Amino acid sequence: MKSNQTSGTLLSTLLQSNGGAPLIIGGPCSAETEEQVLETARRIKASGKVQVYRSGIWKPRTRPNSFEGVGTDGLRWLQQVKEMTGMPVATEVANVRHVAEALEFGIDILWIGARTSVNPFSVQEIADALAGTDVTVMVKNPINPDLALWIGAIERLAKAGIKDLGAIHRGFSTDSKMAYRNAPKWKIAMNFRKEMPEIPMVCDPSHIAGRRDVLQEISQKALDLGMHGLMIESHINPDAAWSDAKQQITPEVLASLISSLDLKKNGIFASGLHSPEEELLDELRSEMDNLDHELLELLSNRAKVSGKLGAFAPQGQLQGVHNERDKVLMGNLVRKALAEGLEENFIQSIFAVLNEYSVKGQEA
Ligand code: PEP
Ligand code: MN
């Protein structure tokens, strides 16, 4: 196994040499072809905005029969990226074989993905395989919102003697309808920082967002909270990417996103902890945002069901036309609303508007 030349304190060196600006890790979700990996790297390097090149080689996919990564070939391409650009390179490892191969090819930063950090057995095996090396390891938050599991993964690596450790906040799986692909749950990331202030944290807006148009706002928010950097997926032809196509951006778009970020509030190495009032306000705003999205989903479902009902209604008996059944239903709703602490007038006017909309939809 080759020992790693540049690592050991790679993360802290990168952070300090960056003059207080956030550390940017960029590159494709997956290595696909040699040309795609090298061309992405060339354009990323030319932008001058990215310090570390990332690419997945072994891809954990939710369903089988999706593209599962190019494997060892990709490690050779990452080696070429390193030679060509001088940038440190990063890839995901999920088992002992991945670790051995990545170290063999001199990969500078290994990261443990969200589907692996969730499993202490896997993390322990990886930690054991890494013992005695000076490679840099970053741990993504587990897919479920469990702070202890995230911290536990870092502790397992630290116990194995890994000194250069970092955390990646990539959001959490949720079944509720959300503005984003993964719920950021900023509070968990901030609590991680409180418990492990010595561990630098970068945010991965790509996997939180799941789409391009909100990458900037998530990146800005992460920096406002005092995170040390960003990991953002970038592809030369995002729409044609073999994985995570919707969330990838070209190297040039990535560069302008980075330029657009306001670093004023950031103060890198700042504690990142806001006052309790600010934290509460933030939490309430994001809860409101989620509720509004859920409300929209419900309204859309209601309109669809109402449309289907309309097809059954005999002439003149469309929903919302006040017949006996409607009056009973409205009475039930008002009783429930009162029990929930809502005002009768408020509920009656909302349902009047909803019913009017339904009738219009059914007549259309
Ligand atoms: C990735 O970085 O491409 C990836 C698979 O991430 P995550 O583990 O956060 O889903
Ligand atoms: Mn991805």
Side-chain angles (χ1 to χ4, degrees):
M1 240 179 240
K2 261 186 239 160
S3 97
N4 208 299
Q5 302 295 311
T6 45
S7 58
T9 53
L10 179 60
L11 272 183
S12 37
T13 309
L14 283 168
L15 285 165
Q16 275 153 17
S17 63
N18 216 15
L23 169 70
I24 307 298
I25 304 173
C29 177
S30 300
E32 298 164 5
T33 65
E34 182 174 349
E35 197 213 346
Q36 169 251 1
V37 170
L38 296 183
E39 180 60 7
T40 312
R42 191 188 64 70
R43 282 163 55 180
I44 276 186
K45 175 72 181 175
S47 79
K49 300 279 180 197
V50 175
Q51 291 77 50
V52 177
Y53 188 80
R54 67 146 277 158
S55 176
I57 299 297
W58 300 283
K59 299 304 297 178
R61 304 310 298 274
T62 305
R63 306 276 304 268
N65 307 322
S66 316
F67 169 61
E68 292 194 328
V70 291
T72 315
D73 284 344
L75 292 172
R76 282 194 198 95
W77 306 336
L78 282 181
Q79 243 179 3
Q80 287 171 252
V81 168
K82 201 170 153 177
E83 280 159 23
M84 178 177 90
T85 64
M87 284 194 281
V89 290
T91 201
E92 173 175 349
V93 291
N95 61 38
V96 172
R97 181 175 64 82
H98 297 165
V99 169
E101 288 194 31
L103 291 177
E104 178 67 31
F105 281 83
I107 304 300
D108 303 281
I109 300 178
L110 311 184
W111 85 77
I112 297 181
R115 289 163 195 78
T116 306
S117 63
V118 78
N119 182 347
F121 288 125
S122 301
V123 174
Q124 191 59 55
E125 279 180 14
I126 292 171
D128 293 343
L130 286 166
T133 70
D134 61 358
V135 72
T136 300
V137 185
M138 300 187 80
V139 181
K140 288 202 176 197
N141 66 255
I143 41 176
N144 58 326
D146 188 333
L147 176 60
L149 212 44
W150 196 4
I151 288 178
I154 297 272
E155 284 171 341
R156 286 175 197 279
L157 292 157
K159 270 182 79 178
I162 303 303
K163 302 236 159 20
D164 203 31
L165 286 166
I168 305 174
H169 167 235
R170 52 78 77 200
F172 302 87
S173 264
T174 165
D175 68 349
S176 69
K177 300 284 180 199
M178 278 272 313
Y180 303 146
R181 175 180 176 188
N182 285 294
K185 297 193 185 289
W186 298 103
K187 194 74 190 281
I188 295 184
M190 290 301 100
N191 285 339
F192 179 103
R193 302 263 335 263
K194 272 187 215 166
E195 297 231 4
M196 300 202 128
E198 69 288 4
I199 303 291
M201 179 180 285
V202 308
C203 179
D204 170 350
S206 303
H207 290 89
I208 292 178
R211 52 182 228 260
R212 291 167 202 141
D213 60 326
V214 287
L215 287 174
Q216 206 275 353
E217 69 185 42
I218 298 170
S219 304
Q220 185 64 60
K221 165 94 181 175
L223 298 187
D224 291 349
L225 288 174
M227 294 207 193
H228 297 80
L230 302 167
M231 177 189 258
I232 300 183
E233 290 185 337
S234 175
H235 192 285
I236 45 171
N237 186 1
D239 285 335
W242 297 1
S243 58
D244 287 348
K246 286 198 194 122
Q247 69 199 31
Q248 301 207 60
I249 51 179
T250 62
E252 294 71 28
V253 172
L254 172 59
S256 58
L257 188 158
I258 303 302
S259 304
S260 77
L261 294 169
D262 179 357
L263 306 184
K264 276 199 294 291
K265 272 213 236 166
N266 182 25
I268 199 102
F269 300 123
S271 75
L273 304 177
H274 289 183
S275 70
E277 290 75 24
E278 278 176 308
E279 280 190 34
L280 182 62
L281 188 62
D282 247 25
E283 226 175 284
L284 290 174
R285 281 192 181 130
S286 93
E287 202 176 329
M288 193 66 151
D289 195 32
N290 288 343
L291 287 170
D292 285 345
H293 276 86
E294 280 181 39
L295 206 53
L296 281 180
E297 294 280 340
L298 285 174
L299 288 174
S300 150
N301 287 343
R302 191 182 194 280
K304 282 178 202 139
V305 173
S306 158
K308 285 183 194 159
L309 269 175
F312 285 96
Q315 209 61 35
Q317 289 221 354
L318 295 174
Q319 190 200 349
V321 175
H322 287 287
N323 54 30
E324 277 316 300
R325 185 173 175 273
D326 284 342
K327 280 187 198 143
V328 173
L329 290 181
M330 195 62 223
N332 289 342
L333 284 172
V334 167
R335 256 193 307 284
K336 178 156 173 54
L338 290 173
E340 300 278 350
L342 295 165
E343 280 179 24
E344 178 167 352
N345 281 350
F346 171 61
I347 289 307
Q348 271 178 338
S349 23
I350 294 233
F351 278 94
V353 175
L354 286 177
N355 286 335
E356 198 185 320
Y357 184 70
S358 292
V359 172
K360 261 197 230 143
Q362 290 169 354
E363 285 169 348

